[in-house]
Amino acid sequence: MIISTSGLTRRFGSITAIDGLTLKVEAGTVGLVGANGAGKSTLIKILLGLLPASSGAASVLGHDVKADGIAIRRRVGYMPEHDCLPPDVTATEFVVHMARMSGLPFSVARERTADTLRHVGLYEERYRAMGGYSTGMKQRVKLAQALVHDPELVLLDEPTNGLDPAGRDEMLELIARIDSEFGISVLVTSHLLGELERVCDSVVLIDGGKLMRHTMTADVTGATGIVALEVDGDNAPLAALLTSRGVAAVAVGRTLEVQVAEEQQFDIVRDAVVELSLGLVRLERRRHHMTELFVPTEGDAHVDAS
Amino acid sequence: MSTPADHREGAHHGGGAVVGDGGAIHDIGYRRYDGERLGPLSIERALFVEGLRGAFGLGRTTKAKIVPFLLLAALLLPTVIITLVRVLTGDLLPVTYAAYLHSTQVLIAIFVASQAPALVSRDLRHRVVSLYFSRPITRTGYVRAKFAAMASATFLLMCAPLVSLFAGALIAELSFREEFPEFLIGIAAAALIALLLAGISLAIASCTPRRGIGVAAIIAVLLVLAVVEQFVDAIGNETGHDALEEWSSVLSPFSLVRSIAHHLLRGDTLSIAAAPSTATGLGYLAAWAGFIALTVGFLVLRYRKVSVS
């Protein structure tokens, strides 16, 4: 278990940012999803031992956040949501310095900086002052400084914020590798539910500082009984033929949604397509999306489903 | 993953060995680190060294080196001239170490004003503090390292002309026995001034993320203090209020330390007429300690409130 909280509460005056949160997170990649102001950043600050809880307890990597903040911060990396890079130094100089501030000896800091910047995909640019970097490059440096000391857990606060769709995909790919290739557990926050299901083993949804749901991604996005079928021609006769043979098929635009219960029914689908002399364009098993699960049940949770 | 950088590294390490088609033989993937990790005190020391070097522009851009080294040259030049006059004309010139620091105070003030904001405002402005405080360094440790760096840099800057002056005195064959104690008093005064200025300048700089405002504010405070001190001193002199005249130097860091040097260290400051008094000296020392406690206490409280995100 990398993170565990019980009845964790944090109030700021009359506002309750975290409200009786009880959570157990196993090693791997966990997504923390909630709208802006849902309490994500407050939770991260508590987990880093930087903000005392009003009540309740929390531990990270087996260390109590109240008593052992330094021990936690030795073994955890943190990537803030906001900009935190001085513009007048190069990425290499900056990450070396940050590695030393995490306790690495100088020669190790230099070696690991070179490695880490390469892993996050920064090459020639690392010798240039960071003031001229694009948002995508800045996000990579921010990630590198969180990884350079080889932590056991990284806390990534909205790492895809401000990135264009391509940059977003690259960042998500990188995050997936942190756990699978580097062996470092990840807690990643987002206000977008859709993007996290691709990289996370489990997703925690919070709203108003309360835990709404904690779900294993595999359970949610598992296979459904629906197969998407696309042919290069009119699909109405095919739908009729399939239905007459006991396989329910509904046209949704150019796609037929076919209810497949048993393996043999795939043969019926194939034979029907051949009989009508249609070209088979796509035959794909539909997966659930996280958004289907959360949005109808948590209609009042202001989560941008995308 | 084959990238230009990998190719280059591969070629470099491979030393011309046959590498097959790709050439990317050195992508060994992610490496874990289970070696030594230094504790908070060593991290503080690393931050201190970085700050000390940074105050002289070392490890920063070329532009950042101009001001500190220009000031260093400006502080050293008169000592070279003094030495030349002493050696060539035999005129011994009434210059003492403690007095030299007082008369060059504008240069020292400019150094402090230009470097203190570079040490702390920058971290606040670009929110680098959130990266520091999410690491195994405490907020007090951060303040300690920055304070030590600023004080040490200012101390070293002041030591340079004192050493030059002392070496010059020996070349001019002044009495070592007379010069050496005065030199040591000068060094002690430099240390006292450095600590006081570090506290004042960092306290001001930590209030603004804007570097320019920090520079202007520190210069203004130090200059205004010096002017007010002279004003109060003059009033005391004119009206015959000896106490006013005597204690006016509390108002300016440089005069305060000069008074400590005169009353407590019994150094020759060339300017204070009153007979040295240990009691007065201790009073000044208490004021000095009070200012440091005030400014450092302020810094510690200030950084307790700095938000991480």
Side-chain angles (χ1 to χ4, degrees):
Chain A
M1 186 141 22
I2 53 166
I3 296 168
S4 128
T5 71
S6 76
L8 193 68
T9 301
R10 170 70 204 197
R11 285 181 213 94
F12 295 101
S14 58
I15 300 157
T16 304
I18 300 284
D19 193 356
L21 195 68
T22 299
L23 196 62
K24 302 224 177 303
V25 175
E26 301 292 335
T29 303
V30 61
L32 180 62
V33 183
N36 292 327
K40 292 171 293 181
S41 293
T42 305
L43 179 59
I44 284 186
K45 276 192 258 181
I46 294 175
L47 294 179
L48 282 168
L50 297 172
L51 193 67
S54 303
S55 63
S59 74
V60 175
L61 303 169
H63 296 284
D64 183 61
V65 292
K66 202 159 76 187
D68 236 355
I70 295 241
I72 291 172
R73 296 198 292 275
R74 284 172 80 87
R75 299 166 68 196
V76 171
Y78 168 55
M79 172 180 174
E81 177 182 2
H82 55 75
D83 200 7
C84 56
L85 309 176
D88 54 347
V89 293
T90 68
T92 297
E93 288 166 344
F94 181 71
V95 178
V96 167
H97 180 59
M98 282 303 148
R100 300 197 70 200
M101 291 301 103
S102 287
L104 297 193
F106 185 56
S107 57
V108 179
R110 281 177 54 168
E111 204 175 299
R112 286 200 61 89
T113 294
D115 277 2
T116 310
L117 286 174
R118 186 166 50 83
H119 282 302
V120 300
L122 221 65
Y123 303 101
E124 293 305 313
E125 309 91 326
R126 65 178 190 249
Y127 303 113
R128 288 213 319 261
M130 295 189 289
Y133 282 13
S134 67
T135 309
M137 279 153 71
K138 283 182 182 167
Q139 291 298 86
R140 285 165 198 265
V141 180
K142 280 164 64 181
L143 183 61
Q145 64 79 30
L147 289 170
V148 69
H149 56 295
D150 188 30
E152 285 167 54
L153 166 71
V154 282
L155 308 175
L156 313 178
D157 202 354
E158 300 270 2
T160 58
N161 230 8
L163 297 177
D164 57 27
R168 199 169 275 254
D169 284 345
E170 283 170 17
M171 180 53 72
L172 287 171
E173 216 169 277
L174 210 51
I175 292 168
R177 284 175 52 210
I178 295 174
D179 176 28
S180 64
E181 277 181 44
F182 307 172
I184 298 168
S185 289
V186 180
L187 174 83
V188 51
T189 78
S190 177
H191 58 282
L192 302 170
L193 183 54
E195 64 180 23
L196 287 183
E197 66 186 21
R198 282 161 51 189
V199 296
C200 293
D201 301 320
S202 72
V203 168
V204 172
L205 182 72
I206 61 171
D207 188 51
K210 284 199 183 75
L211 177 68
M212 306 307 282
R213 223 177 244 265
H214 184 188
T215 329
M216 300 306 289
T217 318
D219 298 347
V220 180
T221 58
T224 64
I226 291 177
V227 168
L229 174 62
E230 241 179 80
V231 291
D232 63 346
D234 190 9
N235 59 19
L238 181 61
L241 183 62
L242 284 174
T243 310
S244 71
R245 292 183 180 170
V247 180
V250 185
V252 180
R254 287 183 44 78
T255 310
L256 280 183
E257 289 194 343
V258 186
Q259 196 76 41
V260 179
E262 302 158 39
E263 284 291 308
Q264 305 92 287
Q265 291 182 320
F266 280 110
D267 298 342
I268 298 174
V269 173
R270 179 199 60 201
D271 295 342
V273 172
V274 173
E275 269 179 54
L276 295 174
S277 302
L278 295 167
L280 185 57
V281 177
R282 187 160 76 105
L283 184 62
E284 182 188 58
R285 201 182 264 281
R286 269 276 158 86
R287 302 182 81 81
H288 278 302
H289 288 280
M290 285 246 148
T291 44
E292 296 169 22
L293 196 90
F294 284 121
V295 173
T297 45
E298 313 297 347
D300 55 347
H302 321 285
V303 173
D304 306 332
S306 79
Chain B
M1 191 178 67
S2 177
T3 64
D6 288 330
H7 281 285
R8 215 186 30 259
E9 276 172 28
H12 176 69
H13 293 296
V18 180
V19 195
D21 49 9
I25 55 164
H26 271 278
D27 187 10
I28 45 180
Y30 186 81
R31 280 183 293 175
R32 307 277 343 202
Y33 177 70
D34 44 20
E36 186 192 12
R37 282 173 201 264
L38 307 170
L41 279 178
S42 305
I43 297 174
E44 256 174 61
R45 197 182 313 131
L47 185 59
F48 159 72
V49 172
E50 194 243 3
L52 179 56
R53 285 169 45 86
F56 291 101
L58 304 174
R60 290 167 61 197
T61 55
T62 317
K63 224 173 76 190
K65 294 178 180 70
I66 296 174
V67 170
F69 280 96
L70 220 55
L71 290 170
L72 187 64
L75 278 168
L76 284 172
L77 188 64
T79 68
V80 174
I81 294 171
I82 289 166
T83 300
L84 281 177
V85 170
R86 279 174 168 173
V87 170
L88 297 178
T89 69
D91 186 343
L92 294 185
L93 293 178
V95 178
T96 71
Y97 303 93
Y100 190 82
L101 294 179
H102 195 269
S103 48
T104 54
Q105 59 173 281
V106 173
L107 295 175
I108 298 163
I110 293 174
F111 176 80
V112 166
S114 61
Q115 299 312 311
L119 266 176
V120 294
S121 308
R122 194 168 156 270
D123 287 349
L124 289 170
R125 175 168 189 188
H126 304 295
R127 302 175 83 175
V128 189
V129 276
S130 55
L131 300 184
Y132 282 114
F133 298 155
S134 58
R135 287 179 150 73
I137 182 168
T138 59
R139 285 158 190 246
T140 313
Y142 175 87
V143 169
R144 206 158 33 213
K146 293 287 183 181
F147 179 80
M150 191 66 229
S152 305
T154 315
F155 175 68
L156 288 178
L157 181 86
M158 286 185 281
C159 280
L162 296 186
V163 169
S164 163
L165 216 49
F166 183 56
L170 294 186
I171 292 169
E173 294 180 331
L174 271 71
S175 155
F176 177 85
R177 194 173 275 188
E178 279 171 29
E179 286 292 312
F180 190 61
E182 289 293 329
F183 170 66
L184 287 186
I185 289 168
I187 296 287
L192 292 172
I193 294 172
L195 290 166
L196 196 52
L197 289 183
I200 295 171
S201 60
L202 290 180
I204 297 171
S206 73
C207 292
T208 171
R210 305 274 297 274
R211 190 160 169 265
I213 292 178
V215 171
I218 295 167
I219 277 282
V221 166
L222 291 179
L223 287 186
V224 165
L225 284 177
V227 169
V228 169
E229 182 246 329
Q230 280 177 6
F231 197 63
V232 172
D233 186 70
I235 292 176
N237 201 1
E238 289 292 318
T239 59
H241 285 89
D242 289 348
L244 204 59
E245 192 183 345
E246 190 170 300
W247 291 100
S248 64
S249 49
V250 171
L251 291 169
S252 154
F254 292 94
S255 299
L256 172 55
V257 171
R258 185 177 61 177
S259 292
I260 295 175
H262 174 73
H263 288 289
L264 218 53
L265 306 175
R266 305 289 159 101
D268 183 1
T269 57
L270 299 175
S271 55
I272 301 176
S277 140
T278 306
T280 311
L282 287 176
Y284 279 118
L285 192 66
W288 174 87
F291 278 126
I292 302 240
L294 212 66
T295 49
V296 173
F298 173 81
L299 276 170
V300 169
L301 289 179
R302 165 82 183 92
Y303 275 93
R304 226 172 257 175
K305 288 223 157 65
V306 169
S307 171
V308 162
S309 62

